[in-house]
PDB file of all heavy atoms in Angstrom:
ATOM      1  N   ILE A  16     257.418 106.931  58.196  1.00  0.00           N
ATOM      2  CA  ILE A  16     257.168 106.927  59.641  1.00  0.00           C
ATOM      3  C   ILE A  16     255.678 106.738  59.901  1.00  0.00           C
ATOM      4  O   ILE A  16     255.281 105.950  60.760  1.00  0.00           O
ATOM      5  CB  ILE A  16     257.676 108.233  60.307  1.00  0.00           C
ATOM      6  CG1 ILE A  16     259.197 108.289  60.287  1.00  0.00           C
ATOM      7  CG2 ILE A  16     257.153 108.381  61.733  1.00  0.00           C
ATOM      8  CD1 ILE A  16     259.886 107.236  61.123  1.00  0.00           C
ATOM      9  N   TYR A  43     245.760  86.354  73.273  1.00  0.00           N
ATOM     10  CA  TYR A  43     244.474  86.811  73.801  1.00  0.00           C
ATOM     11  C   TYR A  43     243.851  87.863  72.897  1.00  0.00           C
ATOM     12  O   TYR A  43     244.532  88.497  72.105  1.00  0.00           O
ATOM     13  CB  TYR A  43     244.628  87.358  75.219  1.00  0.00           C
ATOM     14  CG  TYR A  43     245.460  88.619  75.326  1.00  0.00           C
ATOM     15  CD1 TYR A  43     244.875  89.874  75.168  1.00  0.00           C
ATOM     16  CD2 TYR A  43     246.821  88.558  75.609  1.00  0.00           C
ATOM     17  CE1 TYR A  43     245.639  91.032  75.274  1.00  0.00           C
ATOM     18  CE2 TYR A  43     247.583  89.706  75.721  1.00  0.00           C
ATOM     19  CZ  TYR A  43     246.977  90.938  75.552  1.00  0.00           C
ATOM     20  OH  TYR A  43     247.727  92.083  75.657  1.00  0.00           O
ATOM     21  N   SER A  67     239.968  83.583  72.845  1.00  0.00           N
ATOM     22  CA  SER A  67     239.282  83.685  71.555  1.00  0.00           C
ATOM     23  C   SER A  67     238.629  85.037  71.288  1.00  0.00           C
ATOM     24  O   SER A  67     238.243  85.312  70.163  1.00  0.00           O
ATOM     25  CB  SER A  67     238.203  82.608  71.469  1.00  0.00           C
ATOM     26  OG  SER A  67     237.174  82.891  72.406  1.00  0.00           O
ATOM     27  N   PHE A  70     233.476  85.462  75.353  1.00  0.00           N
ATOM     28  CA  PHE A  70     233.470  85.203  76.790  1.00  0.00           C
ATOM     29  C   PHE A  70     233.105  83.759  77.104  1.00  0.00           C
ATOM     30  O   PHE A  70     232.116  83.232  76.612  1.00  0.00           O
ATOM     31  CB  PHE A  70     232.494  86.136  77.516  1.00  0.00           C
ATOM     32  CG  PHE A  70     232.470  85.888  78.993  1.00  0.00           C
ATOM     33  CD1 PHE A  70     233.559  86.190  79.781  1.00  0.00           C
ATOM     34  CD2 PHE A  70     231.357  85.313  79.592  1.00  0.00           C
ATOM     35  CE1 PHE A  70     233.552  85.943  81.144  1.00  0.00           C
ATOM     36  CE2 PHE A  70     231.331  85.061  80.957  1.00  0.00           C
ATOM     37  CZ  PHE A  70     232.427  85.378  81.726  1.00  0.00           C
ATOM     38  N   VAL A  76     240.550  87.027  81.723  1.00  0.00           N
ATOM     39  CA  VAL A  76     241.312  88.002  82.502  1.00  0.00           C
ATOM     40  C   VAL A  76     240.503  89.298  82.533  1.00  0.00           C
ATOM     41  O   VAL A  76     240.024  89.761  81.493  1.00  0.00           O
ATOM     42  CB  VAL A  76     242.703  88.265  81.885  1.00  0.00           C
ATOM     43  CG1 VAL A  76     243.447  89.341  82.668  1.00  0.00           C
ATOM     44  CG2 VAL A  76     243.523  86.986  81.816  1.00  0.00           C
ATOM     45  N   LYS A  83     240.758 107.148  89.664  1.00  0.00           N
ATOM     46  CA  LYS A  83     240.698 108.006  90.849  1.00  0.00           C
ATOM     47  C   LYS A  83     241.332 107.295  92.032  1.00  0.00           C
ATOM     48  O   LYS A  83     241.499 106.091  92.006  1.00  0.00           O
ATOM     49  CB  LYS A  83     239.271 108.460  91.129  1.00  0.00           C
ATOM     50  CG  LYS A  83     238.372 107.523  91.877  1.00  0.00           C
ATOM     51  CD  LYS A  83     236.957 108.005  92.001  1.00  0.00           C
ATOM     52  CE  LYS A  83     236.502 108.866  93.100  1.00  0.00           C
ATOM     53  NZ  LYS A  83     237.139 109.318  94.214  1.00  0.00           N
ATOM     54  N   ILE A  85     241.226 105.719  95.553  1.00  0.00           N
ATOM     55  CA  ILE A  85     240.216 105.085  96.407  1.00  0.00           C
ATOM     56  C   ILE A  85     240.942 104.465  97.588  1.00  0.00           C
ATOM     57  O   ILE A  85     241.909 103.706  97.414  1.00  0.00           O
ATOM     58  CB  ILE A  85     239.424 103.998  95.651  1.00  0.00           C
ATOM     59  CG1 ILE A  85     238.785 104.570  94.390  1.00  0.00           C
ATOM     60  CG2 ILE A  85     238.348 103.388  96.563  1.00  0.00           C
ATOM     61  CD1 ILE A  85     238.134 103.531  93.498  1.00  0.00           C
ATOM     62  N   ALA A 102     224.045  87.059  97.436  1.00  0.00           N
ATOM     63  CA  ALA A 102     223.560  85.937  98.249  1.00  0.00           C
ATOM     64  C   ALA A 102     223.604  86.301  99.723  1.00  0.00           C
ATOM     65  O   ALA A 102     224.191  87.313 100.108  1.00  0.00           O
ATOM     66  CB  ALA A 102     224.411  84.698  97.990  1.00  0.00           C
ATOM     67  N   TYR A 108     231.715  84.098 107.372  1.00  0.00           N
ATOM     68  CA  TYR A 108     232.246  84.122 106.002  1.00  0.00           C
ATOM     69  C   TYR A 108     232.567  85.560 105.597  1.00  0.00           C
ATOM     70  O   TYR A 108     233.618  85.819 105.010  1.00  0.00           O
ATOM     71  CB  TYR A 108     231.256  83.491 105.018  1.00  0.00           C
ATOM     72  CG  TYR A 108     231.804  83.395 103.609  1.00  0.00           C
ATOM     73  CD1 TYR A 108     232.799  82.477 103.297  1.00  0.00           C
ATOM     74  CD2 TYR A 108     231.348  84.232 102.602  1.00  0.00           C
ATOM     75  CE1 TYR A 108     233.329  82.390 102.010  1.00  0.00           C
ATOM     76  CE2 TYR A 108     231.867  84.155 101.314  1.00  0.00           C
ATOM     77  CZ  TYR A 108     232.854  83.229 101.019  1.00  0.00           C
ATOM     78  OH  TYR A 108     233.376  83.160  99.758  1.00  0.00           O
ATOM     79  N   PHE A 116     240.383  90.601 101.935  1.00  0.00           N
ATOM     80  CA  PHE A 116     240.449  91.857 101.181  1.00  0.00           C
ATOM     81  C   PHE A 116     241.349  92.883 101.860  1.00  0.00           C
ATOM     82  O   PHE A 116     241.992  93.676 101.182  1.00  0.00           O
ATOM     83  CB  PHE A 116     239.047  92.418 100.928  1.00  0.00           C
ATOM     84  CG  PHE A 116     238.206  91.532 100.046  1.00  0.00           C
ATOM     85  CD1 PHE A 116     236.859  91.359 100.295  1.00  0.00           C
ATOM     86  CD2 PHE A 116     238.749  90.859  98.963  1.00  0.00           C
ATOM     87  CE1 PHE A 116     236.074  90.554  99.489  1.00  0.00           C
ATOM     88  CE2 PHE A 116     237.984  90.039  98.146  1.00  0.00           C
ATOM     89  CZ  PHE A 116     236.645  89.890  98.411  1.00  0.00           C
ATOM     90  N   LYS A 124     245.678 104.567  93.163  1.00  0.00           N
ATOM     91  CA  LYS A 124     246.074 105.879  92.652  1.00  0.00           C
ATOM     92  C   LYS A 124     245.519 105.972  91.244  1.00  0.00           C
ATOM     93  O   LYS A 124     245.085 104.968  90.676  1.00  0.00           O
ATOM     94  CB  LYS A 124     247.596 106.005  92.601  1.00  0.00           C
ATOM     95  CG  LYS A 124     248.282 105.900  93.943  1.00  0.00           C
ATOM     96  CD  LYS A 124     249.786 105.932  93.778  1.00  0.00           C
ATOM     97  CE  LYS A 124     250.239 104.494  93.717  1.00  0.00           C
ATOM     98  NZ  LYS A 124     251.621 104.250  93.629  1.00  0.00           N
ATOM     99  N   SER A 127     246.410 103.147  88.684  1.00  0.00           N
ATOM    100  CA  SER A 127     246.693 101.856  89.324  1.00  0.00           C
ATOM    101  C   SER A 127     245.981 100.778  88.515  1.00  0.00           C
ATOM    102  O   SER A 127     244.885 101.000  88.003  1.00  0.00           O
ATOM    103  CB  SER A 127     246.167 101.822  90.756  1.00  0.00           C
ATOM    104  OG  SER A 127     246.923 102.616  91.609  1.00  0.00           O
ATOM    105  N   VAL A 130     244.486  93.296  88.174  1.00  0.00           N
ATOM    106  CA  VAL A 130     244.257  92.231  87.198  1.00  0.00           C
ATOM    107  C   VAL A 130     243.723  91.018  87.940  1.00  0.00           C
ATOM    108  O   VAL A 130     244.335  90.554  88.910  1.00  0.00           O
ATOM    109  CB  VAL A 130     245.556  91.840  86.446  1.00  0.00           C
ATOM    110  CG1 VAL A 130     245.291  90.725  85.442  1.00  0.00           C
ATOM    111  CG2 VAL A 130     246.176  93.056  85.766  1.00  0.00           C
ATOM    112  N   PHE A 142     247.866  93.308  91.811  1.00  0.00           N
ATOM    113  CA  PHE A 142     247.714  94.754  91.950  1.00  0.00           C
ATOM    114  C   PHE A 142     249.068  95.375  91.690  1.00  0.00           C
ATOM    115  O   PHE A 142     250.062  94.982  92.307  1.00  0.00           O
ATOM    116  CB  PHE A 142     247.195  95.136  93.334  1.00  0.00           C
ATOM    117  CG  PHE A 142     246.912  96.604  93.465  1.00  0.00           C
ATOM    118  CD1 PHE A 142     245.779  97.158  92.887  1.00  0.00           C
ATOM    119  CD2 PHE A 142     247.794  97.434  94.124  1.00  0.00           C
ATOM    120  CE1 PHE A 142     245.524  98.520  92.980  1.00  0.00           C
ATOM    121  CE2 PHE A 142     247.544  98.791  94.228  1.00  0.00           C
ATOM    122  CZ  PHE A 142     246.405  99.331  93.647  1.00  0.00           C
ATOM    123  N   ASP A 152     238.940  78.385  95.755  1.00  0.00           N
ATOM    124  CA  ASP A 152     237.600  78.324  96.338  1.00  0.00           C
ATOM    125  C   ASP A 152     236.594  78.798  95.279  1.00  0.00           C
ATOM    126  O   ASP A 152     236.455  79.996  95.036  1.00  0.00           O
ATOM    127  CB  ASP A 152     237.552  79.213  97.586  1.00  0.00           C
ATOM    128  CG  ASP A 152     236.179  79.295  98.223  1.00  0.00           C
ATOM    129  OD1 ASP A 152     235.189  78.826  97.627  1.00  0.00           O
ATOM    130  OD2 ASP A 152     236.090  79.866  99.328  1.00  0.00           O
ATOM    131  N   GLU A 153     235.897  77.846  94.655  1.00  0.00           N
ATOM    132  CA  GLU A 153     234.994  78.169  93.544  1.00  0.00           C
ATOM    133  C   GLU A 153     233.903  79.156  93.943  1.00  0.00           C
ATOM    134  O   GLU A 153     233.535  80.034  93.161  1.00  0.00           O
ATOM    135  CB  GLU A 153     234.359  76.900  92.980  1.00  0.00           C
ATOM    136  CG  GLU A 153     235.328  76.073  92.165  1.00  0.00           C
ATOM    137  CD  GLU A 153     234.638  74.881  91.532  1.00  0.00           C
ATOM    138  OE1 GLU A 153     233.809  75.102  90.627  1.00  0.00           O
ATOM    139  OE2 GLU A 153     234.942  73.755  91.964  1.00  0.00           O
ATOM    140  N   PHE A 160     234.128  87.491  90.768  1.00  0.00           N
ATOM    141  CA  PHE A 160     234.067  87.954  89.375  1.00  0.00           C
ATOM    142  C   PHE A 160     232.651  88.347  88.941  1.00  0.00           C
ATOM    143  O   PHE A 160     232.488  89.167  88.033  1.00  0.00           O
ATOM    144  CB  PHE A 160     234.681  86.929  88.431  1.00  0.00           C
ATOM    145  CG  PHE A 160     236.180  86.888  88.523  1.00  0.00           C
ATOM    146  CD1 PHE A 160     236.826  85.796  89.086  1.00  0.00           C
ATOM    147  CD2 PHE A 160     236.949  87.949  88.062  1.00  0.00           C
ATOM    148  CE1 PHE A 160     238.214  85.768  89.177  1.00  0.00           C
ATOM    149  CE2 PHE A 160     238.333  87.932  88.157  1.00  0.00           C
ATOM    150  CZ  PHE A 160     238.965  86.834  88.710  1.00  0.00           C
ATOM    151  N   ASN A 161     231.651  87.789  89.613  1.00  0.00           N
ATOM    152  CA  ASN A 161     230.275  88.177  89.292  1.00  0.00           C
ATOM    153  C   ASN A 161     229.963  89.614  89.683  1.00  0.00           C
ATOM    154  O   ASN A 161     228.956  90.165  89.244  1.00  0.00           O
ATOM    155  CB  ASN A 161     229.271  87.216  89.926  1.00  0.00           C
ATOM    156  CG  ASN A 161     229.114  85.958  89.118  1.00  0.00           C
ATOM    157  OD1 ASN A 161     229.476  85.906  87.950  1.00  0.00           O
ATOM    158  ND2 ASN A 161     228.566  84.925  89.742  1.00  0.00           N
ATOM    159  N   ASP A 167     222.675  90.755  86.509  1.00  0.00           N
ATOM    160  CA  ASP A 167     221.997  91.709  87.392  1.00  0.00           C
ATOM    161  C   ASP A 167     223.005  92.492  88.236  1.00  0.00           C
ATOM    162  O   ASP A 167     222.762  92.805  89.388  1.00  0.00           O
ATOM    163  CB  ASP A 167     220.975  90.999  88.286  1.00  0.00           C
ATOM    164  CG  ASP A 167     221.617  90.025  89.256  1.00  0.00           C
ATOM    165  OD1 ASP A 167     222.758  89.581  89.017  1.00  0.00           O
ATOM    166  OD2 ASP A 167     220.981  89.700  90.279  1.00  0.00           O
TER     167      ASP A 167
END
Side-chain angles (χ1 to χ4, degrees):
I16 291 294
Y43 66 87
S67 68
F70 180 68
V76 177
K83 82 185 272 355
I85 304 173
Y108 185 72
F116 295 141
K124 298 176 266 183
S127 288
V130 180
F142 185 76
D152 176 350
E153 286 184 69
F160 286 110
N161 279 342
D167 65 339

